[in-house]
Amino acid sequence: MAVDVQAPPDKEVDTPVPPRRRRNLLSRIWRIYLVRRLVYAVFVTWLVMTGTFFMVRAMPGDPVEVLAGRLSQQGINLEQARQQAKQSLAYDPDAPILQQYWEYLTNLLRGDFGMTISQRGTTVVDHVMEYLPWTLFSVGAGMVIAIVVGMGLGMVMAYRRNGWFDHLLSNIASTLSAIPNYLGAMALILIGSAWLGLFDFWSMRGRLSEGVEPGFDAVFFGDALYHAILPIVTYAFTITGGWMLVMKASTTEVLSEDYVTVANARGLKGRRVGLAYVGRNSVLPLVPQVALALGTLVGGAIIVEQILSYPGVGQLFINAITKRDYPVIQAVVLILTVAVVFSNLVVDMLNSWLDPRIRTGDAEEAGA
């Protein structure tokens, strides 16, 4: 007689998660706004990084030929110079391109950007960090000045709209917003130094004056500001106009809202209405402009720093292209991409916090 054998009641039996439940879990995770934006940011960064890797290797000339040319000038046979150049590289230039790409990705995930080609024995991180702080300082200072001045003047223009003051500043802002930053840099040198003699451009080149050493003292900071003042003025000068126009439009729209009319009818002081009702709501549409302005300044810094002879990341990037220093080119492009992409991510998160309808997908309905 057959006897049914059953598992003991106290013993748990592992049951696989149904595929439908897994799909529902992934769907719920994907609905999270932060997750979607993070995936998008990582994808864009990977796409730019991969495109840069293959494009720099499609450029005419290669590091081996550049290094071999330098060695041959020292009296070394050209073939021997090529062999020495290959041995001095931190990667195998004869390896298949996909193998080089895989090694680049695996090293990058470990935080290893490689070694520079133009300066033997120097890591890419150390080399880039010699230039990056100076660009961050000049771009950051110029952007802060442009935002503060542009938003302040834009709000005044909105309050005095259709008057002579508004027309004057609107024309000035439209002109400034149409000037590329590299043209602004050239105009600054031509008009300020060559024509008017307001400053000595030749003494303001570089990072620091001769004999000044980096340190936490007034001499260092004062001299660093003296040499960075031209790029700071260039960045602030060329984007202030855009901030003025955007702030004026945003403030004008808010001034026509019913809650502002009610606040004025209740007899609230003008300063309180301007700050608590108008100013706060006018700034909200301007938040995404921060990331756009940052991308414009960082991209334009490559040319501006060359024109003004300011040794920042832009000048490093141009030198790396000239010397076919692939690791440095890839690192600079990656840093600039991460700066722009993740600044957009931060702005998106801040915007979704200020307006929760964005992360719930109701932003379009709210604007209708």
Side-chain angles (χ1 to χ4, degrees), residues 4-291:
D4 293 336
V5 179
Q6 298 180 352
D10 58 342
K11 184 178 181 180
E12 296 182 358
V13 179
D14 295 333
T15 57
V17 179
R20 185 174 181 180
R21 184 178 298 177
R22 287 199 299 267
R23 287 196 298 269
N24 292 336
L25 178 62
L26 293 176
S27 178
R28 286 197 298 270
I29 294 175
W30 182 250
R31 290 196 192 101
I32 301 174
Y33 185 73
L34 176 59
V35 172
R36 296 200 306 271
R37 300 307 300 170
L38 277 174
V39 171
Y40 174 76
V42 172
F43 173 75
V44 171
T45 303
W46 169 81
L47 193 63
V48 174
M49 176 186 64
T50 301
T52 304
F53 178 88
F54 288 101
M55 282 192 296
V56 295
R57 283 158 178 77
M59 294 167 57
D62 59 76
V64 174
E65 295 299 327
V66 174
L67 290 176
R70 294 180 190 171
L71 293 174
S72 62
Q73 295 177 357
Q74 301 176 6
I76 302 176
N77 180 270
L78 185 58
E79 189 61 32
Q80 293 179 351
R82 287 197 180 98
Q83 294 298 325
Q84 292 185 20
K86 290 182 180 180
Q87 294 174 2
S88 64
L89 298 179
Y91 65 96
D92 184 7
D94 297 327
I97 188 67
L98 292 180
Q99 180 180 338
Q100 295 184 37
Y101 176 67
W102 177 251
E103 292 178 355
Y104 169 67
L105 282 183
T106 53
N107 291 334
L108 196 62
L109 291 175
R110 295 196 298 265
D112 182 9
F113 285 81
M115 307 291 291
T116 64
I117 296 175
S118 56
Q119 295 187 5
R120 296 182 59 181
T122 304
T123 64
V124 172
V125 174
D126 292 339
H127 192 46
V128 172
M129 288 307 297
E130 294 179 9
Y131 295 82
L132 182 60
W134 304 96
T135 297
L136 293 178
F137 170 63
S138 59
V139 169
M143 188 170 177
V144 170
I145 294 173
I147 291 174
V148 173
V149 175
M151 291 176 63
L153 291 178
M155 199 167 182
V156 173
M157 291 162 60
Y159 272 96
R160 300 185 179 181
R161 57 190 178 277
N162 299 326
W164 69 268
F165 187 77
D166 174 32
H167 292 307
L168 175 63
L169 289 188
S170 294
N171 290 329
I172 294 176
S174 299
T175 303
L176 292 179
S177 61
I179 300 177
N181 48 21
Y182 61 88
L183 287 182
M186 291 189 290
L188 189 62
I189 298 173
L190 181 63
I191 299 174
S193 180
W195 292 357
L196 302 179
L198 298 177
F199 55 85
D200 182 12
F201 168 69
W202 301 106
S203 66
M204 300 178 72
R205 295 182 303 166
R207 302 171 185 165
L208 297 171
S209 301
E210 186 177 356
V212 177
E213 296 294 334
F216 290 95
D217 53 62
V219 175
F220 166 70
F221 287 109
D223 192 71
L225 180 61
Y226 172 75
H227 286 270
I229 195 66
L230 292 183
I232 290 175
V233 170
T234 299
Y235 299 139
F237 181 77
T238 52
I239 67 172
T240 298
W243 283 100
M244 291 168 61
L245 296 176
V246 173
M247 187 63 183
K248 174 192 172 183
S250 179
T251 305
T252 302
E253 182 178 355
V254 172
L255 286 172
S256 63
E257 295 290 341
D258 293 337
Y259 57 83
V260 177
T261 305
V262 172
N264 289 323
R266 290 172 57 189
L268 297 179
K269 294 182 179 180
R271 182 176 181 181
R272 182 179 177 184
V273 174
L275 294 178
Y277 291 85
V278 180
R280 181 178 179 182
N281 292 282
S282 299
V283 170
L284 180 60
L286 271 65
V287 173
Q289 300 294 325
V290 176

Side-chain angles (χ1 to χ4, degrees), residues 28-46 288 291-292 337-338 340-353 355 357-361:
R28 286 197 298 270
I29 294 175
W30 182 250
R31 290 196 192 101
I32 301 174
Y33 185 73
L34 176 59
V35 172
R36 296 200 306 271
R37 300 307 300 170
L38 277 174
V39 171
Y40 174 76
V42 172
F43 173 75
V44 171
T45 303
W46 169 81
L292 296 178
T337 302
V338 169
V340 175
V341 170
F342 282 90
S343 64
N344 277 276
L345 178 63
V346 172
V347 169
D348 286 341
M349 293 301 101
L350 182 59
N351 231 5
S352 66
W353 176 71
D355 188 356
R357 294 170 297 182
I358 294 176
R359 56 178 182 266
T360 58

